Amino acid sequence: MLVRLMYASRAVNPQSPEALQALLHQSRSANPAQGITGALCHANGVFVQVLEGGRMAVNRLYQRIAADPRHTDVVLLSYTEVAERRFAGWSMGQVNLARLNPALVLKYSETATLDPYALPGEAMAALFDEMLATAAIIQS
Ligand SMILES: Cc1cc2nc3c(=O)[nH]c(=O)nc-3n(C[C@H](O)[C@H](O)[C@H](O)COP(=O)(O)O)c2cc1C
């Protein structure tokens, strides 16, 4: 049984590009063995992450992530059972902010600044779908 979980959190320290790459590297090394796929967005000091996979695997990972001291204010935005994955090609994709069209953010929010805490979970999920469709998600 597959589930998809999305949460938002605030980085405790400003994330250097190196720290973010280290985090992605850690995730990409560990996720395939657990059957986890997904994507991570880091913008304005806030993380949004989508995790997909088996129910046990996703719940276990979410609990570990929620206890990680590198971030705080971890809030669950959505959790659903799904028939198929959306991020099957990504052990942990990264949202490339340079390719994120501000008009896309405006479509779902009051301002062009991406603030997952101010968005309904459904809007954030729709935004992720559009990022996928516009190739704004990369894995390097
Ligand atoms: C924003 C964020 C996203 C993370 N994403 C993942 C992930 O996708 N996969 C993963 O294994 N660890 C991820 N981690 C790291 C975990 O929190 C944790 O450090 C890792 O699972 C190792 O846990 P352990 O030290 O208890 O073995 C993430 C951490 C943060 C702060």
Side-chain angles (χ1 to χ4, degrees):
M1 180 200 308
L2 287 171
V3 302
R4 184 178 306 118
L5 180 157
M6 184 172 58
Y7 74 84
S9 65
R10 294 187 199 283
V12 163
N13 296 309
Q15 292 287 294
S16 64
E18 293 76 24
L20 190 59
Q21 285 316 308
L23 187 57
L24 283 161
H25 180 76
Q26 179 186 21
S27 304
R28 288 167 187 161
S29 310
N31 290 350
Q34 306 303 321
I36 299 279
T37 53
L40 178 70
C41 173
H42 177 254
N44 316 312
V46 170
F47 292 110
V48 194
Q49 189 175 27
V50 178
L51 302 170
E52 309 175 314
R55 183 163 64 186
M56 272 319 266
V58 168
N59 275 277
R60 274 205 201 102
L61 178 58
Y62 178 62
Q63 286 171 42
R64 272 215 311 279
I65 291 175
D68 194 309
R70 287 174 282 189
H71 61 177
T72 184
D73 294 343
V74 180
V75 63
L76 189 61
L77 298 181
S78 74
Y79 177 86
T80 29
E81 293 180 356
V82 293
E84 56 187 46
R85 295 176 193 252
R86 286 211 182 108
F87 299 88
W90 289 272
S91 59
M92 192 45 61
Q94 178 185 7
V95 174
N96 180 356
L97 293 173
R99 294 195 68 160
L100 179 58
N101 185 344
L104 261 193
V105 179
L106 266 183
K107 182 172 171 182
Y108 296 102
S109 45
E110 293 179 21
T111 70
T113 305
L114 178 60
D115 179 6
Y117 288 92
L119 282 180
E122 266 181 30
M124 193 58 228
L127 195 46
F128 258 112
D129 283 350
E130 302 226 26
M131 290 177 201
L132 266 179
T134 56
I137 297 181
I138 52 169
Q139 179 156 313
S140 50

